[in-house]
Amino acid sequence: MTWHWKELLPVDRFTVRTSYYLAEQDRLTLTLLYQPLIGASAHSLYLTLLSQLERDQYWSGELTHRQLMLLLGESLEVIYEERKKLEAIGLLKTFKRKDEEGSTYLYELQPPMTPRQFFENDVLSVYLFNRLGKTYYRQLRERFMLDEVAREEYTELTYAFDEVYASLHHSEMVSNLKSETGKVLHVDERKALISRQDEQDVTFASNQFDFELFEKSLSKSIVPDSALTEEIKSAIIRLAFVYKIEPLEMSSIVQQTFIHEEEVSSEQLRKKVQEWYKIEQGTEPPALGLRTHPLKERSITAREPATEEERIIHFYETTPPLTLLEIRSDGAKVAAADVKIIESLMLDHKLLPGVINVLLDFILWSQDMKLSKALVDKIASHWARKKVRTVKEAMQLALLEQNKSNQNSRRSGSYPKASTKGKANPRRDKLPKWLLAEKQKEQDTKAAASPPSGRNELPVSGDKSFEEMLEELKKSKAGKGES
């Protein structure tokens, strides 16, 4: 898990700086466009840091993070996590300096994108659409639109600069530049003029897109090297991230785009990718459920899993939640309602992908493969309050829940009935192996249970072995060349 106290302490000092003071339009953009993506806490942190700047001042005084905790009414761990959101979305840059007195942070606030930049951004616009839905997204976009003016019906009368102002005489210009006043024209190299950065974007520190493989698969006769400008390369990386496109697939899309055009803009490429996505995946935009468990929160990274328990943990850590649901549906497309449940678990409950996998599996196998949003929200809220960050913690909590359920069922003398015609004890029959304490035969639920193998810390048994789960994953990915 993330040990925030290794990075940040309440006694650490900080100052706030900005090179652009926010106008009312910027605050509206922050609230209506950014807040649905970053959440209310990150939005509040940004405005609180901004409030440290007095009117017409661009540097704040020095404060401690303990004072920031009191202002926000939040723990340092929450502040640290919300700060990372602001950094990732391009609203904050953080710098650190260490000296004899301790650590001092510089928080440099960045202005939000203009509405036009935001809605033309491949990453943010798609996620906002996903978050708000089609109807409200369109209403919100209309709010930031202006009607075009038919300028061809008008005659422009605007005066040019040289039609109004007279130029200095050559002799006056030379004498002024040579005098002391000429020094005023030069800007101190240690200072910078206040400006607005018109071009800003979401940055990717590292990505899993294999650009080398992508370039090798391109036909030079169709896409010359000169065509891959920095703008196009950046667009390719962003689009591959948003729409989860593999290098070979992206290569095919780019070549199709260049076949009919000598030069291609990032906008044309974006439209081509969207067309491809609609054909391959349907009309729904991509979702956040394609992310996997963060590397720093994984328990098995630099080695191969040795025990069956470790293989199960590794499976949950490396499988995106949407892929897990596809496996449980035998490769069928995941329903839009289930996609929304995954997004809610990530965005509303702030659970990590691996933890979500455990939760989904626990509910699916115990509820006859049904996903009840009410039950999902209830368990997710509990796990969020418990601050579950790792897969192993989630599995242990699921085991406790299952044990409680079994005890309650034994007290009542029967298991809860489910709509499975002719199947006895469906809840126990459907549980994954790591949730069962004893092995049951598929056709005879009254047969004596065989003892666990003893190889794992967590008891394992059930209808399917873990190897069969992995085999299902391989089959579902076979069409895409994955194993």
Side-chain angles (χ1 to χ4, degrees), residues 175-186:
S175 62
N176 276 333
L177 290 174
K178 288 182 177 178
S179 67
E180 289 293 321
T181 57
K183 295 180 181 179
V184 178
L185 297 174
H186 299 283

Side-chain angles (χ1 to χ4, degrees), residues 34 89 113-127 137 200-204 238-239 242-243 267 270 274:
Y34 279 87
I89 209 164
M113 295 180 184
T114 63
R116 178 176 178 176
Q117 289 171 340
F118 190 98
F119 283 107
E120 289 181 351
N121 186 279
D122 298 311
V123 177
L124 301 185
S125 60
V126 170
Y127 286 149
Y137 176 86
Q200 58 177 329
D201 202 351
V202 179
T203 58
F204 295 87
R238 290 199 312 270
L239 293 168
V242 174
Y243 294 92
E267 178 65 23
R270 178 159 63 103
Q274 289 171 347

Side-chain angles (χ1 to χ4, degrees), residues 229-269:
T229 62
E230 290 303 317
E231 178 193 359
I232 294 296
K233 288 181 179 179
S234 176
I236 288 170
I237 292 173
R238 290 199 312 270
L239 293 168
F241 169 78
V242 174
Y243 294 92
K244 204 186 179 221
I245 305 174
E246 297 297 327
L248 296 179
E249 290 174 330
M250 180 60 81
S251 170
S252 175
I253 295 169
V254 171
Q255 288 182 104
Q256 290 174 23
T257 310
F258 272 88
I259 284 175
H260 304 291
E261 302 288 342
E262 292 184 4
E263 293 184 5
V264 173
S265 66
S266 56
E267 178 65 23
Q268 290 172 304
L269 185 59

